[in-house]
């Protein structure tokens, strides 16, 4: 098995950036297959901090980065990110960045609609990143999206913009937001087209060649299983599928190419945005996790909600995500805690359940059932071998493995690329 697919198993921000970067150094090609610039990956390499939203992390290791057809691309955000990383010394050219010709574009009107709808939702808001992700995916399935390849076809653009504005201006006007003119959209696209079109290519064809040539491909997921539009805490989710199966359709390779599925899980749980979170902590313990773990959204800067590790949710993610092994991150944030707890199930209306319910009403009523064990005083930060870990921390990790039904194949002990304990090389299958 020569390919690896990385997905988040909680509500995102599990520290995928570091793991993907570490794996990218062993891959030939790194592919993003869903989501957009709602994702935020922070990579720390050699003391230099890279903040990526849309660009595949592999570009930091000098590998080919691919944006597959399952991603929604905001061309302005893309160009801004390319400029930023170029100023940091990375080389991004059409040889190193391939973007599927068929990606739907996120336009300023998508962000405007996202924000206007959130404002209108009031107490029922989803807490989106406000970047137009949902409206862009809606346009894709409604078959009115402007795709990257359309930028080279001015005649197609003309009628597509008419159709797009008919829909969006009606909604924007209804919500009391500013509408857009055809001239505005045309001039925006005219300006952006020569900048992004050089990166456009038939990604599926190039990846097919790469698969046949035995190249190592790393598929880099964004968000996480609990934010998956089908399997997550709907409607408090993102608008794409985030599970590993989508790596294939979101980049145009066959399902067998997905390879080893590595699920990333933080040693505790965080969430940004609204929605249920059974093991959330509202006390000093939760605040301590947030402080020590520097839990602020990479994209929006919002403080993340913090809570105990929810083994029931991660087990769910392991099953629907097809996870072969877990990379456990940020164990060091628990260092020095007298006691640590794991959510091992729920109580719903007086009954014990070991599966998260599907309806939002029931999801908001569940109470966590916690299992508590002694913590550890020693530091795990920077450990590079299992032997360097305190016995109690090992016990915590072993209990997690037992509860989620998947082995911890990788342990990350600091944001630095090399502070990683590898139990099994995912590229070896
Ligand atoms: P959207 O993807 O902007 O529509 O936001 C929908 C939900 O997904 C909100 O709760 C966001 O906070 C959450 N979300 C989107 N992207 C990320 C991410 O990369 N990390 C964590 N949460 C995310």
């Amino acid at each position: 098995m020569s390919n690896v697919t990385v997905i988040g198993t909680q509500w995102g921000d599990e520290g995928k950036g570091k793991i993907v970067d570490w794996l990218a150094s062993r891959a030939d090609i790194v592919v993003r297959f869903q989501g957009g610039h709602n994702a935020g990956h922070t990579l720390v390499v050699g003391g230099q901090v890279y903040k990526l939203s849309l660009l595949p992390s592999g570009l930091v290791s000098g590998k080919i980065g691919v944006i597959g057809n399952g991603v929604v691309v905001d061309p302005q955000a893309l160009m801004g990110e390319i400029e930023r990383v170029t100023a940091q010394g990375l080389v991004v050219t059409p040889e190193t960045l391939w973007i599927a010709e068929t990606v739907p574009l996120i336009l300023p009107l998508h962000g405007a609609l996202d924000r206007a709808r959130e404002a209108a939702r009031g107490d029922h808001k989803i807490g989106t990143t406000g970047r137009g992700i949902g409206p862009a995916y809606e346009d894709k399935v409604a078959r009115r999206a402007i795709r990257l390849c359309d930028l080279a076809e001015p005649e197609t653009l003309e009628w597509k913009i008419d159709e797009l504005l008919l829909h969006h201006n009606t909604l924007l006007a209804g919500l009391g937001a500013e509408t857009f003119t055809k001239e505005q959209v045309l001039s925006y696209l005219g300006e952006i087209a020569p900048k992004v079109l050089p990166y456009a290519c038939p990604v599926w064809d190039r990846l097919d060649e790469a698969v046949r040539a035995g190249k190592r491909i790393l598929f880099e997921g964004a968000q996480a299983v609990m934010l998956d539009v089908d399997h997550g805490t709907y409607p408090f989710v993102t608008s794409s599928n985030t599970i590993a199966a989508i790596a294939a359709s979101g980049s145009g390779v066959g399902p067998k190419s997905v390879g080893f599925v590595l699920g990333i899980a933080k040693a505790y749980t965080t969430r940004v945005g609204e929605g249920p979170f059974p093991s959330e902590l509202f006390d000093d313990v939760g605040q301590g996790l947030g402080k020590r773990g520097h839990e602020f959204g990479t994209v929006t800067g919002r403080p993340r909600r913090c809570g105990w590790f929810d083994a029931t949710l991660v087990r769910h993610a392991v099953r629907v995500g097809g996870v072969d092994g877990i990379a456990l991150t940020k164990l060091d944030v628990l260092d020095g805690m007298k006691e640590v707890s794991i959510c091992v199930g729920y109580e719903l209306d007086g009954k014990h359940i070991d599966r998260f319910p599907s309806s939002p009403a029931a999801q908001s009523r569940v109470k966590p059932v916690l299992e508590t064990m002694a913590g550890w005083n020693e530091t795990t930060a920077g450990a590079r071998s299992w032997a360097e870990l305190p016995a109690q921390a090992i016990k915590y990790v072993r209990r997690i493995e037992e509860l989620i039904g998947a082995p911890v194949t990788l342990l990350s002990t600091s944001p630095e690329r090399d502070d990683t304990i590898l139990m099994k090389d995912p590229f070896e299958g």
Side-chain angles (χ1 to χ4, degrees):
M1 205 186 286
S2 62
N3 298 338
V4 175
T5 297
V6 171
I7 58 168
T9 60
Q10 295 158 317
W11 280 291
D13 310 314
E14 294 92 353
K16 282 190 288 295
K18 168 186 157 168
I19 305 290
V20 167
D21 169 56
W22 187 82
L23 288 167
S25 60
R26 309 152 76 88
D28 299 301
I29 300 176
V30 181
V31 184
R32 277 279 311 267
F33 55 90
Q34 48 73 227
H37 66 313
N38 48 349
H41 288 170
T42 306
L43 311 181
V44 185
V45 183
Q48 171 96 273
V49 180
Y50 299 92
K51 286 192 187 286
L52 304 181
S53 273
L54 195 52
L55 291 175
S57 303
L59 288 169
V60 175
S61 331
K63 303 301 166 81
I64 290 172
V66 177
I67 296 181
N69 54 278
V71 177
V72 281
V73 172
D74 180 326
Q76 209 167 19
L78 175 76
M79 295 322 296
E81 201 169 311
I82 292 177
E83 268 170 37
R84 272 199 310 282
V85 299
T86 304
Q88 286 187 285
L90 297 189
V91 180
V92 184
T93 66
E95 281 69 48
T96 58
L97 175 65
W98 308 344
I99 307 181
E101 297 162 320
T102 48
V103 288
L105 299 181
I106 302 182
L107 309 181
L109 52 80
H110 292 114
L113 182 60
D114 193 359
R115 293 186 292 274
R117 276 201 311 222
E118 277 286 271
R121 280 187 186 118
D123 288 348
H124 295 285
K125 71 175 196 286
I126 292 167
T128 72
T129 57
R131 303 202 155 186
I133 307 294
Y137 275 117
E138 288 162 32
D139 279 356
K140 172 179 172 171
V141 292
R143 295 159 292 185
R144 63 174 165 257
I146 293 183
R147 306 197 298 177
L148 182 53
C149 51
D150 297 329
L151 295 185
E153 308 278 351
E155 276 161 33
T156 311
L157 271 186
E158 288 272 338
W159 65 262
K160 284 197 114 174
I161 292 173
D162 285 337
E163 193 189 344
L164 205 62
L165 287 181
L166 179 69
H167 178 83
H168 285 270
N169 278 344
T170 311
L171 286 172
L172 287 167
L175 288 161
E178 259 184 61
T179 55
F180 290 79
T181 64
K182 184 172 181 179
E183 292 64 42
Q184 267 176 319
V185 181
L186 265 176
S187 106
Y188 170 79
L189 292 177
E191 209 178 296
I192 215 84
K195 296 181 185 160
V196 285
L197 276 174
Y199 298 98
C201 64
V203 155
W204 63 272
D205 198 26
R206 293 200 187 174
L207 286 180
D208 181 62
E209 250 175 55
V211 168
R212 285 170 200 280
K215 300 276 185 215
R216 283 180 161 193
I217 304 176
L218 175 65
F219 295 95
E220 173 183 5
Q223 291 85 47
V225 178
M226 287 303 134
L227 288 170
D228 181 286
V229 68
D230 285 296
H231 300 286
T233 47
Y234 190 92
F236 301 98
V237 293
T238 191
S239 295
S240 61
N241 285 113
T242 58
I243 54 173
I246 296 302
S249 61
S251 55
V253 298
K256 290 195 190 105
S257 297
V258 167
F260 186 94
V261 180
L262 185 68
I264 317 293
K266 208 181 270 190
Y268 48 101
T269 311
T270 62
R271 171 164 209 174
V272 277
E274 307 301 315
F277 181 174
S279 64
E280 184 167 9
L281 288 163
F282 299 95
D283 56 6
D284 293 355
V285 179
Q287 277 178 13
L289 290 175
K291 214 165 163 189
R292 289 194 303 279
H294 309 289
E295 297 295 355
F296 292 92
T298 316
V299 170
T300 56
R302 293 177 286 181
R304 296 179 185 140
R305 301 154 63 191
C306 298
W308 295 122
F309 185 87
D310 189 334
T312 315
L313 279 185
V314 175
R315 182 168 65 234
H316 183 152
V318 162
R319 291 187 190 173
V320 298
V323 169
D324 294 304
I326 288 281
L328 195 68
T329 63
K330 298 183 99 167
L331 185 66
D332 56 297
V333 174
L334 303 180
D335 291 354
M337 293 184 79
K338 223 167 136 210
E339 287 182 331
V340 286
S341 297
I342 301 176
C343 175
V344 295
Y346 313 106
E347 201 188 290
L348 177 64
D349 305 332
K351 286 200 194 98
H352 181 90
I353 53 170
D354 58 9
R355 191 173 57 73
F356 202 48
S358 299
S359 87
Q363 286 179 357
S364 67
R365 286 203 312 280
V366 299
K367 302 266 177 295
V369 175
L370 298 177
E371 188 178 287
T372 300
M373 60 173 81
W376 54 91
N377 264 327
E378 305 89 326
T379 176
T380 61
R384 292 189 183 184
S385 77
W386 203 240
E388 288 173 55
L389 294 179
Q392 208 45 39
I394 294 177
K395 208 168 149 191
Y396 180 73
V397 176
R398 293 292 183 224
R399 184 65 182 133
I400 284 178
E401 286 181 316
E402 219 168 73
L403 288 165
I404 64 175
V408 170
T409 48
L410 218 149
L411 200 70
S412 152
T413 55
S414 98
E416 281 291 340
R417 186 192 268 177
D418 295 330
D419 292 339
T420 302
I421 303 174
L422 181 68
M423 269 68 90
K424 183 180 164 80
D425 184 347
F427 276 113
E428 301 306 325

